[in-house]
Amino acid sequence: MEETWRWFGPDDAVRLDHIRQAGAHGIVTSLHHIPYGEVWSIEEIERRKAILAQNPSLGLHWRVVESLPVHEKIRRGDADCAPLFQNYRQSMRNLAACGVTNICYNFMPVLDWTRTELRHPLPGGGTALRFNAHEYVGFDVFILERPGADEGVPETLLARAKTWVEEASEEQKETLLASIMAGLPGAYERYDVAGLRQILAAYGEMTPADLKANLRRFLEEIIPTAEELGITMGMHPDDPPRPLFGLPRIVSTEEDIADLLAMVDSPSNGLTLCTGSLGAHPASDLPRIAVRFAERIHFAHLRNVAKEPDGSFMEADHLGGDTDMVAVVEALLTEGKRRRDEGRADWRIPFRPDHGHELADDLGKPTFPGYPLIGRLRGLAELRGVMTAIARLKDLPL
């Protein structure tokens, strides 16, 4: 497995030499300053690569892009998407020309990963990302006031949500909105309550079947180009794996993944295995998912979550939480051996330690939520130890 690290570019508070100190060589990055739908030029891609190469002694390289974003018009299924598909394909061609051939992307409408708490206190003073079901319901039902938002919500959860909204200060409500918006990458637009209502209305009464049809259309447009260029596309699952604010989520379960891979049955159409996103679903069996879809896993985000009965969850230690991380790592190492035995040069599956806790000197630093240095360094070290032990015990290549 290839140890990689997500880096948000020159504005990231985590420096490249710190990433190398953590032990990673692969950089996972994106051109967040380019608006959705515009072409990533070769000049811009090479500019980012030149930054990584400024200190050759670090030995850093860029093979995985996270993300090459999908425009909202494509997710909505608008009729006039031909120029957007053309631009996406040209960005793919330019990335491949620069040696970047592994693309992570998602198909989550409007919002990326969503949490209600960005700094939940941990013993000893660290902090973690957390999703509180009552705060989400309180925002959706009583602040956003989305019609039908209370349908299917258990009475006890609804009552707790109402109490939270009634007792919360305006500052707490503003912090909740900011936390929900924090999953949007880079410098892209954040919404206030009115703006969120407006963008949600643009999706109308979209059903999961509608969104799946739009995903199929996207895949049919871009996977042939991926095959031509030798690019692998790894869909990131929904985070959290549940409908949000009335919007459907269609890559949340094991069977959703099977549907995704069957839409265009190509080795280029694959999965970014995110154990944290999928692990927040009560029915997910991550080791089974890793084994079942091993041949189509192009990238992995390894982290853990601890779930609660009401749908809340907290991001746990990388080797804590509800997911058997040791079994997942064994599945990925076993697949790497199969690829090596086939003679593939790219047999190592790239992975990164996803979301870490804020710990020690990271506290208070302007890092992106979920992406401090020390918490991820700890996670990578733990995962490296698991990998090394499994490789030795099972005679698998690292």
Side-chain angles (χ1 to χ4, degrees), residues 287 304 318-319 323-333 382-383 386-387 389-390 394:
N304 225 316
H318 284 74
L319 301 185
T323 294
D324 184 348
M325 192 63 69
V326 173
V328 171
V329 170
E330 181 175 351
L332 296 177
L333 286 172
E382 292 176 343
L383 293 167
V386 169
M387 289 165 47
I390 292 173
K394 302 288 184 176

Side-chain angles (χ1 to χ4, degrees), residues 111 114 136 139-140 144 146 180-181 196 200 243-247:
L111 299 172
T114 302
Y136 163 73
F139 182 86
D140 195 20
L144 189 61
R146 182 176 62 84
I180 291 170
M181 291 295 109
L196 185 55
L200 291 174
L244 285 183
F245 305 118
L247 297 170

Side-chain angles (χ1 to χ4, degrees), residues 59-367:
L60 302 176
H61 62 272
W62 180 21
R63 184 159 71 94
V64 181
V65 59
E66 183 179 352
S67 299
L68 181 58
V70 179
H71 198 279
E72 288 296 329
K73 284 187 174 183
I74 294 174
R75 293 191 179 104
R76 287 199 305 263
D78 291 3
D80 59 339
C81 288
L84 293 172
F85 290 130
Q86 181 176 343
N87 286 355
Y88 202 97
R89 288 190 292 263
Q90 187 58 52
S91 294
M92 293 168 65
R93 293 187 183 97
N94 292 345
L95 283 164
C98 297
V100 183
T101 57
N102 190 323
I103 296 175
C104 171
Y105 71 104
N106 75 70
F107 218 75
M108 292 180 268
V110 180
L111 299 172
D112 205 307
W113 62 266
T114 302
R115 301 291 183 271
T116 64
E117 218 179 337
L118 301 182
R119 290 180 174 85
H120 181 79
L122 297 171
T127 69
L129 300 179
R130 184 176 168 84
F131 182 90
N132 293 312
H134 70 281
E135 291 180 351
Y136 163 73
V137 171
F139 182 86
D140 195 20
V141 176
F142 301 109
I143 298 176
L144 189 61
E145 297 179 325
R146 182 176 62 84
D150 58 346
E151 293 178 8
V153 179
E155 287 297 326
T156 53
L157 181 56
L158 195 62
R160 189 181 177 200
K162 184 177 181 181
T163 298
W164 185 90
V165 172
E166 290 173 346
E167 295 179 352
S169 66
E170 288 305 311
E171 182 180 0
Q172 286 175 311
K173 293 174 185 177
E174 290 173 4
T175 298
L176 175 59
L177 174 62
S179 298
I180 291 170
M181 291 295 109
L184 292 170
Y188 288 110
E189 180 181 7
R190 270 62 172 161
Y191 305 107
D192 58 14
V193 171
L196 185 55
R197 288 190 186 118
Q198 184 176 6
I199 191 68
L200 291 174
Y203 277 83
E205 300 298 320
M206 179 174 286
T207 67
D210 295 331
L211 189 59
K212 283 194 174 186
N214 298 340
L215 173 58
R216 181 186 296 273
R217 176 191 181 198
F218 171 72
L219 294 173
E220 290 174 346
E221 289 279 354
I222 61 98
I223 292 300
T225 301
E227 292 174 335
E228 168 195 332
L229 298 170
I231 280 178
T232 54
M233 301 291 298
M235 167 74 85
H236 188 286
D238 303 326
D239 187 7
R242 53 173 291 173
L244 285 183
F245 305 118
L247 297 170
R249 295 283 182 116
I250 57 171
V251 190
S252 295
T253 67
E254 182 175 343
E255 291 313 309
D256 287 341
I257 296 169
D259 290 346
L260 158 73
L261 300 181
M263 285 180 184
V264 177
D265 189 8
S266 164
S268 291
N269 177 29
L271 174 68
T272 293
L273 179 71
C274 181
T275 57
S277 301
L278 293 167
H281 194 288
S284 285
D285 182 332
L286 266 299
R288 184 178 69 200
I289 289 172
V291 170
R292 179 178 177 183
F293 302 115
E295 292 187 18
R296 304 279 279 276
I297 294 173
H298 299 319
F299 183 34
H301 294 173
L302 300 183
R303 62 180 171 86
N304 225 316
V305 295
K307 299 185 289 293
E308 299 170 18
D310 68 352
S312 301
F313 60 89
M314 189 176 77
E315 302 204 355
D317 296 337
H318 284 74
L319 301 185
D322 300 330
T323 294
D324 184 348
M325 192 63 69
V326 173
V328 171
V329 170
E330 181 175 351
L332 296 177
L333 286 172
T334 301
E335 171 61 15
K337 180 179 185 302
R338 186 194 67 80
R339 297 180 188 187
R340 190 194 65 171
D341 292 347
E342 280 187 349
R344 288 175 51 173
D346 62 343
W347 59 269
R348 288 186 173 90
I349 298 173
F351 80 95
R352 63 174 178 82
D354 204 8
H355 299 177
H357 294 163
E358 279 193 340
L359 304 172
D361 289 347
D362 275 336
L363 292 165
K365 288 185 177 178
T367 53

